[in-house]
Amino acid sequence: MKTPAEILAKTENGLPKPSWTSRTPTGNAQAQVSQQQSEQPQQQPISNETKVLVNMIFARFMAIYGHKFKSCFETQNELSLAKREWALSLRGFGEPELVIAIDRCKETLAWMPSVSEFLAILREVKGDDGLPAARNAYIEACMHADRPSKHNWSHPAVYQAGKATGWFRLRSEDESQVVGDFNYHYQVMCRRARDGENLDQQVPVALEDKSDNTLVDFIQRWGEEQELEPQVAAKLLYYLTKPKGSTTRARFQQIAQQDADQLGIQLPQDYQ
């Protein structure tokens, strides 16, 4: 039996010696670690869209909570780690539901929420209808567009959105051509489901979007054109999230332009 002195013995880095903390002989430790790593599932990459959305979320939280937001992160590294964790947790959520959740935080929370608190608010915003995230709904619709009547759908709203979009389009067209229409139909169906309305009614035709995608897409493209980091672009163009012509938007734009002047950049008046 080992003595207390042997059990408490530590290496130079302050950690317990592996001879008593591991059931595997020291010689096989590396092989065991390698085997464990190979058995772990590969982590899915974070899309650029999700990264831009998280930067937008943090930019709004900084504007909403001010010094309280800054006090949550002592270093830039802590902020970067937090953003990555948020991005991993928010994959599959779309811009509309995230905006609603942020507004709910502004109305109800005095401090920036944790990831778990924000996810709870997202679930509350989405309701208890079992509605999948927009991205997951789109993937499900595409995977079962060949035989939609034979699939056990996660929610009737997904089926109705796929039907309104067109099963043939979901089978044959590229994502860039069809995902926008699907998301529109799915948002309509989600609203109907939350309001207890009939999902079988025909969805009104959406007006053509002349703005060339959403504000998030614009900020991402603009930032790339200016060779800026995504978080810098999101911070500079935060004023575009405010109502056009409002004093709030003008004030944020003036402050942002002062920062942009130091970079030799002229900010856009609008994104549409």
Side-chain angles (χ1 to χ4, degrees), residues 41-91:
Q42 293 295 320
Q43 197 175 66
Q44 296 182 3
I46 302 172
S47 66
N48 287 332
E49 180 182 5
T50 300
K51 292 178 182 178
V52 173
L53 285 171
V54 169
N55 284 325
M56 284 292 296
I57 291 172
F58 273 62
R60 285 207 59 188
F61 280 157
M62 182 172 62
I64 293 169
Y65 296 108
H67 71 279
K68 293 181 179 179
F69 170 86
K70 296 178 181 179
S71 66
C72 294
F73 311 100
E74 294 184 359
T75 65
Q76 183 64 35
N77 186 51
E78 287 185 7
L79 179 60
S80 299
L81 290 174
K83 285 185 176 181
R84 175 167 178 80
E85 190 63 35
W86 278 69
L88 291 171
S89 302
L90 298 180
R91 285 179 300 186

Side-chain angles (χ1 to χ4, degrees), residues 171-223:
R171 291 196 306 268
S172 59
E173 294 185 13
D174 292 336
E175 178 177 341
S176 60
Q177 297 175 311
V178 71
V179 67
D181 289 341
F182 177 86
N183 287 340
Y184 165 72
H185 289 105
Y186 185 60
Q187 288 177 23
V188 173
M189 292 302 170
C190 288
R191 178 187 57 77
R192 289 180 179 178
R194 295 182 183 113
D195 294 341
E197 298 179 6
N198 183 7
L199 302 184
D200 295 330
Q201 296 179 3
Q202 184 176 358
V203 179
V205 178
L207 296 176
E208 183 180 359
D209 186 3
K210 302 292 185 178
S211 64
D212 189 20
N213 297 323
T214 65
L215 173 58
V216 170
D217 296 323
F218 175 81
I219 292 176
Q220 180 177 344
R221 294 195 308 273
W222 183 85

